[in-house]
Amino acid sequence: MLFRFLRPAIFSLDSEKAHRLGVAALKASPLRATSQTGPAAIEIAELHFPNPVGVAAGFDKDAEVPDQLLDLGFGFTEVGSITPRPQAGNPKPRLFRLVEDRAVINRMGFNNGGGAAALARLERRRDNPGIVGINIGANKDSEDRIADYAAMARMMTPLASYLAVNVSSPNTPGLRALQDEGALSELIDAVIEARKGAGTGLTKLPPIFLKVAPDLMQDDIDAIARIALDKQLGALIVSNTTISRPALRSHHAGEAGGLSGAPLRELALKRVRDFRAATGGGIPLVGVGGIASAEHAWERIRAGASLVQLYSAMVYEGPGLGAQIARGLERLMKRDGFTSIAEAVGTE
């Protein structure tokens, strides 16, 4: 109710300034020691998720508010993308609300304060409960992007619940080329080796999740599925923003960058189905893109996703959306006769 009251004032601000204001408000909010585990809990990649609804990477780029997001009722959160060195990202303006379409276009360009700054923040919460994935990327001007991913894996392994390898942002030139079969195999091998080297003394290494684009051809999907199965990845995150442009009404429709929100929903749902088929259900999927209600999340789970993530929908519905969807999933699970989320995965 408070968000609905404040939304006109928030929407009067530049999109990026509004986002920074939201992060600042979360930083100032008190934390409560609340248990989130409930009927919708699920386990994948040897991680126990108290519910399957998470925050997608991009909201908390610099790992400033992971505990505050978990405290809102999310089952997990993913910080980043974080690169080895700080970088400013692309020129502003670079974030646009498409209100008529309930969508967002961004061309942020991996803007973040760099690995060392994020590492210091994550060190301070090392003993806190909750699943915090760390999304790693490469600097735009890097001469060896695979080395950047390896460096980030080495740095973040001791602190990550899982490592998310992001090769699917459309806003760093050439990055999506790392989804090519040969390059991707080399990249994953480098991350696995770096994780192993950094994991000395850990009781368990963090699983590796791979975040892919929705703009893939079937051959690409099959190749990525083969690599994910062969390298025994923890999960595939399906999917990032799209460079495609369905029919849009907003005057921002022509802006360059990745499109997210409601117009992405059908494409992202199709990609979950595609990867479910390509992997034979042999690897967990995280469904992302256009999810704005419990019904949307349930549809993605029934299509094959074990977890879901939100971001753009919170722009329009507010920060309480995650807890609302988690409660709704419990209701839908019982309505359809399932005793757990895991039992419902891929049953459409």
Side-chain angles (χ1 to χ4, degrees):
M1 289 178 64
L2 178 61
F3 177 80
R4 286 197 294 270
F5 176 75
L6 293 174
R7 196 172 83 162
I10 295 170
F11 276 30
S12 71
L13 299 173
D14 166 79
S15 299
E16 193 165 347
K17 288 180 180 177
H19 176 75
R20 290 305 311 161
L21 179 65
V23 172
L26 283 171
K27 288 174 77 171
S29 64
L31 289 171
R32 301 161 296 165
T34 56
S35 173
Q36 300 169 331
T37 299
I42 185 170
E43 186 169 308
I44 73 162
E46 299 184 18
L47 294 172
H48 179 81
F49 294 80
N51 72 64
V53 185
V55 182
F59 183 93
D60 188 13
K61 285 179 175 292
D62 286 301
E64 297 175 274
V65 289
D67 293 297
Q68 288 85 348
L69 289 167
L70 294 172
D71 203 40
L72 287 172
F74 287 98
F76 65 108
T77 188
E78 187 173 312
V79 303
S81 296
I82 304 169
T83 56
R85 291 176 284 108
Q87 62 182 26
N90 292 323
K92 299 178 182 179
R94 54 194 181 180
L95 182 64
F96 306 91
R97 299 185 202 93
L98 285 68
V99 178
E100 300 89 343
D101 304 292
R102 298 183 71 79
V104 171
I105 289 175
N106 93 82
R107 51 173 180 266
M108 304 298 285
F110 280 0
N111 59 304
N112 73 105
L119 184 70
R121 295 188 188 95
L122 291 163
E123 282 277 11
R124 291 195 289 270
R125 72 161 309 276
R126 179 190 283 266
D127 296 324
N128 293 5
I131 293 179
V132 177
I134 303 177
N135 187 299
I136 59 175
N139 282 108
K140 181 179 180 178
D141 61 354
S142 174
E143 294 182 0
D144 187 343
R145 287 181 172 168
I146 289 178
D148 276 15
Y149 283 98
M152 289 305 303
R154 198 173 299 113
M155 181 184 296
M156 295 301 179
T157 284
L159 297 170
S161 299
Y162 64 85
L163 292 168
V165 177
N166 185 2
V167 292
S168 52
S169 170
N171 300 316
T172 297
L175 189 76
R176 287 191 172 190
L178 289 173
Q179 294 176 121
D180 172 76
E181 187 168 6
L184 183 59
S185 184
E186 182 183 352
L187 169 62
I188 297 300
D189 283 343
V191 170
I192 289 172
E193 189 63 27
R195 180 188 61 163
K196 179 181 176 182
T200 305
L202 297 179
T203 56
K204 185 172 77 71
L205 294 175
I208 296 168
F209 291 11
L210 176 66
K211 188 164 187 173
V212 300
D215 311 303
L216 295 168
M217 304 300 288
Q218 189 60 52
D219 287 349
D220 301 319
I221 292 167
D222 292 340
I224 291 169
R226 284 195 298 271
I227 290 170
L229 290 166
D230 180 57
K231 309 295 184 186
Q232 297 182 325
L233 299 186
L236 290 171
I237 303 174
V238 186
S239 61
N240 212 319
T241 58
T242 180
I243 56 174
S244 67
R245 289 294 184 269
L248 299 169
R249 294 179 293 165
S250 171
H251 66 282
H252 290 307
E255 295 288 349
L259 173 70
S260 59
L264 178 56
R265 183 163 69 94
E266 288 302 321
L267 177 60
L269 173 63
K270 184 178 187 306
R271 286 294 167 266
V272 165
R273 289 173 174 147
D274 291 341
F275 273 102
R276 175 77 175 183
T279 61
I283 186 167
L285 305 177
V286 183
V288 198
I291 296 171
S293 69
E295 288 74 16
H296 293 164
W298 188 236
E299 179 182 49
R300 209 67 57 97
I301 289 166
R302 295 288 300 271
S306 298
L307 306 171
V308 297
Q309 289 180 322
L310 318 176
Y311 182 179
S312 298
M314 291 194 289
V315 172
Y316 297 100
E317 301 295 339
L321 183 61
Q324 178 184 324
I325 290 178
R327 290 192 299 270
L329 285 174
E330 293 178 11
R331 174 180 53 81
L332 292 168
M333 186 176 70
K334 293 174 183 175
R335 182 199 69 184
D336 292 348
F338 294 101
T339 59
S340 69
I341 292 294
E343 187 182 329
V345 172
T347 57
E348 66 176 9

